[in-house]
Amino acid sequence: MSQLRRGEFEIIDRIKGRCATSPAVRLGIGDDCAMLQLPPGEMLLTTTDMLVEDVHFRRAWTGMESLGKKSAAVNLSDLAAMGAVPKALFLALAVPEDLSAQEIDRFFDGFLEVCHASGAVLAGGDTCASMGGLSISVTALGSASEKNVLRRSGARSGDSIYVTGCLGDSGLALQCLLAGRQVPPGALGRHLEPAARVSIGQALAEAGIATAMIDISDGLLADLGHILAASSVGGLVNIDTLPLSAEMQSAVAADRAVFEQALIGGEDYELLFTAASGSEQDIVQIAGLCQLPITRIGVIDGSPGAIELRDKGQPSPLPRNRGYKHFSDGA
Ligand code: ADP
Ligand code: MG
C-alpha cells in the first residue's frame, strides 16, 4: 500500500466518527455507496460546486476552518436558492502533501459545523493526493415537494425584485485582499465564511409567494440576468435602494467606485427573488421570522433579458464589466 492510500484511509477514519446521523441517510460513509431515503413524494435536488486553490481561494488568505465552512455553505446556498431542505453532502478532496493532519481536521471542523447546522449529514465522498494545490468538490442533496421548488424561470412582468441581507461585502473584501489593503473585518468574515440562506429559502418556497429565485454567487447583475433570461422578462433596479452594510457604506463614502461591488461583486450568497405585488406583508413576516432583512430593489419590466438601472429615479449606466471572475482582476 502506498503512502497515499494509507493517508486516504486515515482521513476517512478520522471523519467517519465525527459525522452526524439522520433518518434520510440510511447508510453513510463506509460502503461503496450511500443509501438515502427521501420523504414520500418529494423530489431530489442535487448540486455540485468546486473550490480549487488559487482559482477560488488562496491558502495564505483563509484559515482551514473557514475554508471548510465556505465549501459547505456555497453548495448549501444552491439548495437554498430552490427552497430545498438539505439532506446530505458528499465531499471529494485532492490533498497536497504539505497539508497537515491538523489542517485537515480544522477543515472538517468548519465543514461539519455548517453541514450539521443545515440539517444535512456528510454521507460520502472521495479522497486522493494532489500533486498541485488543494481541490475541494462538494455535492449537496436536498429535497422539496415539486410544487414548492423555486426555479429561475418563473418571474412575471410586474413582479417586485427582492434581495436578502446586504450586497457587496464579499467583493469589497476580495478587492482589498487583491490590493494588499486592510480589509474591513465584517466584510472579510462574509468573504471567508459566507452564510447559506437555507431557512429563508425554505420559508419563501413553502409560503408559495416567490415566483423565481437564485443565489447571488456571481454578482447581482449577473445573477439577475439569469432570472431575466430564464423567465424572458426585463428588470429595472433602483440602485439607491440596494442594501449595504455599514462597512460598505463607509467604503463607498470614501470611494464611490466601491459601490460597483454591490452590483458586480461575487460571493455574497444572498438570495435574489421575485414575487407578485401584494406579497409585501408576507415577505415582511418571513424576514422577521428568519431575522434577516429583505429589501425590494426593483421591478420586472422592460424587454426580455435587459436590465435598466435607476438612481433616485434617474437612468444610471450599467457597469461595463458585469460578471464576477474570481481572481481574474489582478491575480
Ligand atoms: P471506493 O474505493 O469504494 O470508492 P473509498 O475507499 O474511496 O471507497 O471510500 C470509502 C468510504 O469513505 C466511502 O463511503 C466514501 O464515500 C467515503 N469517503 C471517502 N472520502 C471521503 C471524504 N473526503 N469525505 C467523506 N466521505 C469520504
Ligand atoms: Mg473512492
Side-chain angles (χ1 to χ4, degrees):
M1 190 191 292
S2 72
Q3 279 302 113
L4 296 176
R5 287 299 282 175
R6 195 192 308 273
E8 175 187 345
F9 293 131
E10 258 171 42
I11 290 174
I12 295 167
D13 276 346
R14 288 166 97 93
I15 55 183
K16 207 171 147 183
R18 304 181 56 187
C19 290
T21 56
S22 98
V25 179
R26 301 291 292 269
L27 185 61
I29 293 174
D31 216 311
D32 291 309
C33 294
M35 182 165 68
L36 310 184
Q37 180 153 46
L38 295 184
E42 295 212 342
M43 292 289 153
L44 174 67
L45 288 95
T46 311
T47 174
T48 299
D49 256 312
M50 294 182 75
L51 288 90
V52 175
E53 186 171 350
D54 294 332
V55 177
H56 301 93
F57 65 90
R58 294 200 185 165
R59 262 199 272 167
W61 290 348
T62 180
M64 280 295 127
E65 187 172 346
S66 295
L67 187 60
K69 288 182 181 176
K70 185 167 182 172
S71 303
V74 303
N75 282 274
L76 292 166
S77 178
D78 282 321
L79 292 181
M82 298 193 74
V85 179
K87 297 290 182 189
L89 297 184
F90 291 79
L91 171 63
L93 286 176
V95 184
E97 224 169 59
D98 66 340
L99 200 72
S100 69
Q102 286 71 28
E103 286 175 302
I104 294 172
D105 282 346
R106 291 291 83 73
F107 176 88
F108 278 101
D109 288 343
F111 186 92
L112 292 173
E113 182 185 323
V114 169
C115 172
H116 294 158
S118 79
V121 301
L122 179 60
D126 199 19
T127 309
C128 68
S130 168
M131 297 303 146
L134 171 63
S135 172
I136 303 153
S137 171
V138 178
T139 299
L141 278 62
S143 78
S145 69
E146 191 171 10
K147 67 174 184 7
N148 286 349
V149 169
L150 286 169
R151 305 173 193 219
R152 298 175 178 185
S153 54
R156 296 291 169 259
S157 190
D159 285 356
S160 293
I161 305 171
Y162 293 93
V163 69
T164 63
C166 294
L167 297 174
D169 291 294
S170 185
L172 168 64
L174 180 59
Q175 211 178 32
C176 294
L177 286 167
L178 286 167
R181 283 200 305 270
Q182 202 179 347
V183 192
L188 184 64
R190 292 209 52 197
H191 181 66
L192 297 179
E193 298 185 7
R197 303 306 190 189
V198 173
S199 53
I200 205 159
Q202 276 167 41
L204 288 164
E206 275 159 25
I209 45 178
T211 49
M213 188 151 73
I214 193 168
D215 64 322
I216 302 180
S217 54
D218 295 331
L220 172 67
L221 297 184
D223 289 313
L224 176 60
H226 294 315
I227 286 186
L228 301 180
S231 303
S232 301
V233 292
L236 192 158
V237 175
N238 298 307
I239 63 171
D240 51 304
T241 63
L242 296 187
L244 303 184
S245 68
E247 284 179 347
M248 261 298 278
Q249 286 176 34
S250 46
V252 170
D255 175 6
R256 176 70 197 171
V258 173
F259 182 76
E260 218 174 64
Q261 293 306 318
L263 295 169
I264 64 165
E267 298 201 308
D268 279 321
Y269 297 103
E270 295 297 351
L271 295 178
L272 175 69
F273 64 95
T274 54
S277 58
S279 319
E280 283 81 4
Q281 281 315 308
D282 293 328
I283 289 168
V284 167
Q285 203 178 4
I286 287 173
L289 284 172
C290 297
Q291 298 185 313
L292 187 68
I294 297 180
T295 309
R296 183 180 181 277
I297 61 165
V299 64
I300 296 297
D301 189 19
S303 46
I307 300 179
E308 208 182 304
L309 302 184
R310 298 246 174 102
D311 188 0
K312 301 193 183 89
Q314 298 305 309
S316 178
L318 280 166
R320 262 181 300 137
N321 166 10
R322 277 218 250 154
Y324 169 64
K325 295 274 191 312
H326 299 292
F327 295 138
S328 64
D329 41 320

